[in-house]
Amino acid sequence: MTTARRPVIWLARTVGASLWIGALIVVAAGAAEIWLRVQGDRESPVENGDPYGPFRVQHLHPQYQFFFPFEPEARIQLSNDVVHLTAEGFRGPGPAEAGDRRLAFLLGGSATFGDFASSDSTTITGYLNQLQDEYFFVNAGVPSWVSTQEMFRLAFELVKYAPALVVAYNGFNDGAVILEHAARGGGLSTVGAHESFLRLSAVIDDLKAGPTVPRYHFLPELRELFGLGNGDETWTDPLQVPIPEEVLAATVSQYLNNMDRMHDMTTAAGGRFAVVFQPIAGLHQRVPREFASWTRENDTLARFHRAVLAERSANLEFHDLAAVFDGYFDAVPVALEDGPHDEPIFRDVVHLSDWGNRLVAQRLVELLFSERT
């Protein structure tokens, strides 16, 4: 073999080896992606110890944008030992179970739905039905919902039941979604929209033009595993995004307009409507600062709460429970990883334990039915 041919052979062998290594990497990555997807399909949220996982999936709905599965039978099939869903999408017993009691609905997001509650009977509605016997409360909460969706559900579904009472237990999602939208480049154009609106828009905006397939669809499970995220979304740390006053003001206006519309619809049908601004850990003075740090690092929720209190209609029955637990405890028990192991009130920034749900229900009975109890 001549000396001149040796570099050529070496180069060919090197290129060949590189191609083989590249092919092996692609095959291994593909196999890993398939394995991760199979594992994700095999291990349901309930099997992973989270009975609430299936109810956080956001299915498209013609009126509510996102809801539980569209087919009633699929909603029932989501039920498990902790959470029971009716065909209509109510947690626990539905309106047909009211019997001789006057019908009432509790609307809201996941805190209303009862994330972290140990059973249907230990949600706020469950306790309301135990603490008084004049009204039968139906849990109409849906995880992640904002007040616009609550208003739609009242208009399209709940009014037909002619409820004697409708209570909107909310505030957190409408305030927090401002940060979610701002982090993804939203602003005035997305005021009143659900938290996932921009994610949906990034996938398909013009239906007739067909879906947009972002780059991150290539090996998405592996990308998520290594924290690579998706390359097509504009996203910034929400805590670092300043919220313009005009966006905050528009969000407050949208929220209060939704409450006024819900009031008008309910009263026009002969019922009573009340708004309850829900407890938020970061708006309490007696919650450990490290537990609710992000709600203090970014003051959007506090600004939203103050503006709602200042601008709400005098005709609106409004009960502020944003810091309700400060009146019960010198130090509000929370679920700190290195804290005491007694039952907390806050499981996270906005979701409550069974104990917290019971205290809220007791306070609501005092506020809503003080003349009757």
Side-chain angles (χ1 to χ4, degrees), residues 234-254:
T234 300
W235 191 89
T236 309
D237 182 356
L239 297 184
Q240 306 304 318
V241 179
I243 303 300
E245 191 59 38
E246 61 177 355
V247 173
L248 183 78
T251 305
V252 171
S253 177
Q254 180 69 53

Side-chain angles (χ1 to χ4, degrees), residues 80-330:
N80 55 62
D81 291 341
V82 175
V83 185
H84 298 86
L85 202 66
T86 69
E88 300 82 10
F90 299 120
R91 179 175 182 178
E97 304 298 318
D100 295 332
R101 298 164 76 171
R102 305 175 74 188
L103 182 62
F105 288 106
L106 191 69
L107 274 163
S110 55
T112 301
F113 186 73
D115 269 29
F116 291 111
S118 62
S119 67
D120 299 331
S121 62
T122 57
T123 62
I124 296 173
T125 52
Y127 283 122
L128 283 171
N129 286 332
Q130 298 168 39
L131 294 170
Q132 54 77 50
D133 58 10
E134 180 176 353
Y135 290 86
F136 182 81
F137 278 84
V138 173
N139 188 336
V142 181
S144 297
W145 267 22
V146 295
S147 61
T148 303
Q149 292 164 298
E150 297 168 28
M151 186 263 294
F152 287 160
R153 189 173 196 186
L154 180 61
F156 284 106
E157 184 180 3
L158 304 188
V159 166
K160 70 182 181 183
Y161 292 101
L165 173 65
V166 174
V167 178
Y169 178 87
N170 56 27
F172 177 84
N173 287 351
D174 281 72
V177 78
I178 308 173
L179 295 171
E180 172 71 18
H181 288 178
R184 299 180 185 280
L188 283 174
S189 61
T190 58
V191 167
H194 183 275
E195 65 175 2
S196 296
F197 173 79
L198 286 169
R199 297 183 187 183
L200 178 63
S201 179
V203 175
I204 184 162
D205 180 56
D206 182 352
L207 182 63
K208 292 186 177 180
T212 301
V213 182
R215 290 191 303 274
Y216 69 85
H217 279 185
F218 179 68
L219 302 178
E221 298 292 341
L222 275 179
R223 293 182 64 85
E224 171 128 14
L225 180 65
F226 291 103
L228 297 178
N230 77 56
D232 284 355
E233 268 189 11
T234 300
W235 191 89
T236 309
D237 182 356
L239 297 184
Q240 306 304 318
V241 179
I243 303 300
E245 191 59 38
E246 61 177 355
V247 173
L248 183 78
T251 305
V252 171
S253 177
Q254 180 69 53
Y255 170 78
L256 291 176
N257 282 337
N258 289 338
M259 296 303 102
D260 288 337
R261 292 170 189 166
M262 293 168 75
H263 169 273
D264 292 346
M265 284 188 285
T266 304
T267 56
R272 172 188 174 192
F273 178 75
V275 181
V276 177
F277 200 101
Q278 68 194 104
I280 299 173
L283 300 186
H284 284 68
Q285 295 299 315
R286 299 179 179 180
V287 164
R289 295 193 66 82
E290 64 271 25
F291 179 76
S293 59
W294 74 265
T295 59
R296 294 183 172 108
E297 290 174 24
N298 189 304
D299 66 350
T300 300
L301 279 167
R303 290 165 61 198
F304 177 80
H305 174 243
R306 288 196 300 269
V308 166
L309 294 183
E311 299 175 26
R312 69 184 189 274
S313 168
N315 295 325
L316 197 62
E317 181 180 346
F318 191 99
H319 303 289
D320 181 19
L321 269 60
V324 66
F325 299 118
D326 280 347
Y328 289 83
F329 304 95
D330 291 332

Side-chain angles (χ1 to χ4, degrees), residues 12-30:
R13 288 176 176 174
T14 301
V15 171
S18 298
L19 290 174
W20 272 106
I21 292 172
L24 288 173
I25 291 174
V26 171
V27 170

